Amino acid sequence: MATRTTLKTPLPTTFFTLLSLLIFLSPSLANDDFTSSPCNLTPHPTFCTATLPSPNILSVHDQCRFFLNQSLVITKKVLEMVSSYLRDRRMRIPGSTLHAIEDCVNSAELNIDFLSIVLRAAERTAANSYQAHYYDTQTMLSAVLTNHQTCMDGFNEVTPYPRITGGLSSVLSNAYKLYSVSLALFAHGWVKNPAARPRTTMNRKLHQTILDGDEGLVVREKVVVNPNGSGDFTTINDAVDAAPNNTGTNNGYHVIYVVAGIYNEYVSLSKNKQNVMIVGDGINRTVITGNRSVVDGWTTFQSATFAVAGKGFVAVNITFRNTAGPAKHQAVAVRNSADMSTFYTCSFEGYQDTLYTHSLRQFYKNCDIYGTVDFIFGNAATLFQDCNIFPRLPMQNQFNAITAQGRMDPNQNTGISIQNSWIVGNDGNYSRVETYLGRPWKEYSRTVYVQCFMDGIVDGKGWVEWNGDFALRTLYFAEFANWGPGSNTTNRVTWEGYHLVDENDADGFTVYNFIQGDSWLPKTGVPFKAGL
C-alpha cells in the first residue's frame, strides 16, 4: 500500500503524494439546489463548471454523459502516455519505476473497459429506466477512481523519475477530477432513488460440497491440477492459461481443482477469465505461496502471490501465503480486483498488507486472515462474514492496524464491513503490542465492525490515526453490537467520523444492502447471511 509507514513517523512526501493532496483539497460539496447547479454537488465544482461547454443548457443527464465521454477520452490519453514510456528504449527507467508504469497501464486498460460499458448503457437507456443498473454503475465508476489512484500510488513507492512525473502530473490530476465529477453526477442526479429490490428473507445454506454439486451451482467444466502428472495440468498457471476467455457469468463455472500440495507460483487471473472457481483440498493442504515485496523492488500492487480481476471468481479451501516477512514491509498474499468475487474457507497469511481488497464487490466467508500492519486494506465494497482475524507479532516499534480502507471520494460505494467475526491474538504475548481495528488510508476511509468478538488484544482506543488529524472528520468508522474484552467502547476515539451505530445503520453494511450479494451469491453455492 503506497505511502504508508510501518513505524509511527510519516514517510517523505513524494510528487504524487502532493498531487493527491491537491486533489483532496479541492472545494467540498456545496448545498445549492442540484437541479439548478449540478456542479455544486460534485467534489470539484469549479473544475466541473469550467469544463462544461454549456452549463446552462445541458440537463444533469447530458452533463453526466458529457463527463463520462471526457473521462474515456482522457483515459485513452493516459494509456498512450504511460505505454509510450515502456516503448521508449532510450529511457533508462529503473526496474521498480517500470513496475509502477505497468500498474498504470493495467489501471488505464481496466478503466477504458468500465467507462465504455457505462457509456453504452447510458446512451441506450432512458434515465428513468436506468434504476435497475444503479448499483452496478456506481460500482464501476467507483472502481475507475480506485484504479486511477492505484496508478498514482505506485509512483510513491519508487524512486522519483522527473521526466515521467513531470509529464504525467497535469493529465493525471485532470483525469482524477473528471472521474470524480462523473461519479458525483451519476450518484446524485441520474436517478432519484436506486431501484427497490425484493428483500431476501431466507439465508442461503450449502447443502452439498461444491465439487459434488450444489442445487444452485452450475459447473461448465472441471479440470484437475496435480504436480505428479496424473491430472490435466501440473501447475495452476497452466490451468488458468487454458481456461476459456470472456465466457460471461451466466454460463456456469470453469472449475480448477488443485490437489493438496505447496505451489510456489505467482498466479494472476486477468479480467478475461470470468466465472472461474478454484477449489483446493483445504486450508494448509493446498497452499499457493510467494515472497515478493516492496523492499525487493515490486510495487504493492505487483507484490501479490495471487491476483484476480475476472468477474465472478470463487476460491474454496485454499491457503494463500506471502512469506516475505515483516522486515520486507508491503507484501501481499492476495490482490482481489474481481467484481462479485467470493472466498470461502480460505486462509490469507502474511504480515504487512496481507489481503488487498482492491476494488469492486467482494465476499469472504469462514476465512482466516493473518497479518500485522494494515493487513486488510484496499477500496472494494468488501464484506467479511464469520471470519477469524489474527493479528500477528509485528517488528519492534511497530503496531498492528487490522484495516486500512482506501475510499478517497465521498460518492464511492466502497468500504470494509466485518460481520460476526472473531479478532483474536496469534504468535505469542501481546501485552506489549498495540493492536487497533483500523486507520484511515484515504480521506473518506470507511470501516464497520458488526456483531464481532474482540479479544483483549484490541486497544481500548479502538482506532488509530494515519498521520495527525488527516481524515478524522471525513472518515466513517463504526461499531455495532460487538462483544468480548476488546469491545468496550468507554475509551474509544472521539473523532467526528467515529460512530456507535444502531441496528438500522448497521443494516446498511450487510450482504443485502452493502454488496447486493443476495442477487449473485446464491449461484456460487457458498452459504451467506443476507442481513444482521
Side-chain angles (χ1 to χ4, degrees):
M1 187 186 310
T3 73
R4 288 181 294 103
T5 174
T6 60
L7 304 178
K8 293 187 178 179
T9 54
L11 291 174
T13 301
T14 66
F15 168 82
F16 282 95
T17 304
L18 289 173
L19 175 58
S20 298
L21 182 61
L22 289 172
I23 292 171
F24 286 135
L25 288 179
S26 298
S28 59
L29 299 181
N31 294 319
D32 292 11
D33 180 14
F34 187 62
T35 58
S36 63
S37 185
C39 283
N40 284 339
L41 279 185
T42 74
H44 312 285
T46 303
F47 173 84
C48 176
T49 302
T51 306
L52 281 171
S54 182
N56 295 323
I57 297 176
L58 295 177
S59 71
V60 62
H61 306 106
D62 289 334
Q63 289 185 13
C64 186
R65 290 189 184 96
F66 170 80
F67 277 101
L68 287 170
N69 274 295
Q70 292 302 305
S71 294
L72 183 58
V73 169
I74 202 167
T75 306
K76 292 177 179 178
K77 182 176 180 180
V78 169
L79 179 59
E80 173 55 32
M81 290 181 69
V82 293
S83 297
S84 69
Y85 298 135
L86 297 179
R87 295 192 300 265
D88 191 345
R89 297 181 180 274
R90 296 169 299 176
M91 297 182 70
R92 296 182 178 180
I93 303 173
S96 60
T97 305
L98 282 174
H99 290 318
I101 296 171
E102 290 166 353
D103 291 352
C104 288
V105 170
N106 176 79
S107 297
E109 289 176 342
L110 285 172
N111 283 351
I112 288 172
D113 282 354
F114 290 156
L115 289 166
S116 298
I117 291 170
V118 171
L119 269 168
R120 285 196 297 269
E123 288 169 357
R124 69 171 180 259
T125 307
N128 59 5
S129 64
Y130 202 78
Q131 297 188 20
H133 306 282
Y134 179 88
Y135 297 102
D136 291 344
T137 302
Q138 188 182 22
T139 295
M140 281 189 282
L141 293 179
S142 294
V144 166
L145 267 174
T146 300
N147 292 335
H148 188 70
Q149 186 67 49
T150 300
C151 166
M152 295 194 294
D153 284 344
F155 286 99
N156 285 324
E157 299 174 329
V158 300
T159 303
Y161 198 92
R163 180 176 171 184
I164 294 175
T165 55
L168 285 173
S169 60
S170 177
V171 68
L172 290 181
S173 176
N174 286 335
Y176 188 98
K177 292 175 184 176
L178 285 169
Y179 302 152
S180 178
V181 170
S182 297
L183 174 60
L185 291 173
F186 176 82
H188 289 284
W190 193 265
V191 294
K192 291 183 179 179
N193 293 295
R197 299 180 298 117
R199 180 104 186 181
T200 299
T201 57
M202 295 182 63
N203 296 319
R204 176 74 171 140
K205 295 183 178 180
L206 193 65
H207 297 291
Q208 294 175 284
T209 67
I210 295 228
L211 284 178
D212 291 337
D214 176 77
E215 61 182 18
L217 180 66
V218 177
V219 175
R220 182 177 64 250
E221 182 180 14
K222 186 179 79 174
V223 299
V224 177
V225 176
N226 195 328
N228 70 11
S230 65
D232 301 288
F233 303 95
T234 58
T235 70
I236 301 171
N237 274 304
D238 286 344
V240 168
D241 289 342
N245 293 325
N246 300 316
T247 59
T249 57
N250 296 315
N251 300 309
Y253 286 98
H254 179 85
V255 176
I256 301 173
Y257 168 53
V258 184
V259 304
I262 297 178
Y263 296 81
N264 289 282
E265 299 187 51
Y266 295 97
V267 180
S268 180
L269 281 80
S270 70
K271 63 185 179 182
N272 296 325
K273 303 295 183 179
Q274 299 161 353
N275 249 39
V276 172
M277 178 181 290
I278 299 184
V279 182
D281 274 330
I283 289 176
N284 293 328
R285 298 195 65 214
T286 298
V287 180
I288 304 174
T289 185
N291 63 0
R292 289 176 177 170
S293 69
V294 168
V295 169
D296 286 336
W298 302 91
T299 60
T300 299
F301 190 82
Q302 291 196 34
S303 71
T305 301
F306 186 93
V308 58
K311 186 176 181 180
F313 175 77
V314 179
V316 184
N317 297 340
I318 299 174
T319 288
F320 303 92
R321 186 177 290 164
N322 190 312
T323 62
K328 293 298 181 74
H329 301 287
Q330 296 98 323
V332 175
V334 167
R335 183 188 79 238
N336 185 1
S337 305
D339 196 21
M340 300 182 182
S341 55
T342 307
F343 287 78
Y344 178 50
T345 58
C346 292
S347 70
F348 308 85
E349 299 179 9
Y351 289 87
Q352 181 172 348
D353 289 4
T354 302
L355 177 54
Y356 193 172
T357 60
H358 180 261
S359 56
L360 300 165
R361 288 167 289 194
Q362 309 178 11
F363 182 65
Y364 299 79
K365 179 77 172 184
N366 291 356
C367 291
D368 299 337
I369 308 102
Y370 299 81
T372 56
V373 179
D374 307 336
F375 63 96
I376 300 173
F377 75 107
N379 195 29
T382 308
L383 200 144
F384 296 88
Q385 194 172 87
D386 301 324
C387 292
N388 298 309
I389 297 172
F390 298 113
R392 307 176 88 169
L393 191 65
M395 291 193 301
Q396 188 175 5
N397 297 322
Q398 284 186 326
F399 61 83
N400 289 332
I402 294 172
T403 65
Q405 205 281 324
R407 183 169 173 253
M408 77 282 297
D409 188 283
N411 295 300
Q412 289 181 303
N413 60 352
T414 56
I416 295 173
S417 176
I418 302 177
Q419 180 187 12
N420 197 41
S421 296
W422 293 65
I423 298 97
V424 294
N426 183 266
D427 287 359
N429 182 8
Y430 278 80
S431 61
R432 59 188 176 87
V433 178
E434 299 172 52
T435 296
Y436 301 95
L437 299 174
R439 59 177 181 159
W441 180 25
K442 302 295 183 182
E443 189 174 11
Y444 293 92
S445 181
R446 183 161 63 175
T447 301
V448 178
Y449 286 82
V450 176
Q451 299 168 321
C452 294
F453 172 82
M454 298 179 180
D455 202 353
I457 62 167
V458 176
D459 190 272
K461 182 180 175 182
W463 309 79
V464 67
E465 299 83 355
W466 183 269
N467 187 8
D469 62 359
F470 169 73
L472 302 188
R473 295 179 63 252
T474 51
L475 61 78
Y476 185 92
F477 289 168
E479 298 180 53
F480 170 74
N482 299 307
W483 58 291
S487 67
N488 189 324
T489 59
T490 303
N491 296 315
R492 286 295 197 255
V493 296
T494 58
W495 308 335
E496 185 174 339
Y498 170 71
H499 309 275
L500 294 175
V501 297
D502 59 18
E503 183 174 345
N504 184 62
D505 289 334
D507 189 59
F509 295 93
T510 58
V511 164
Y512 171 81
N513 282 310
F514 193 47
I515 59 172
Q516 300 82 54
D518 58 308
S519 66
W520 54 271
L521 282 171
K523 69 178 181 180
T524 68
V526 172
F528 67 91
K529 187 174 184 178
L532 295 174

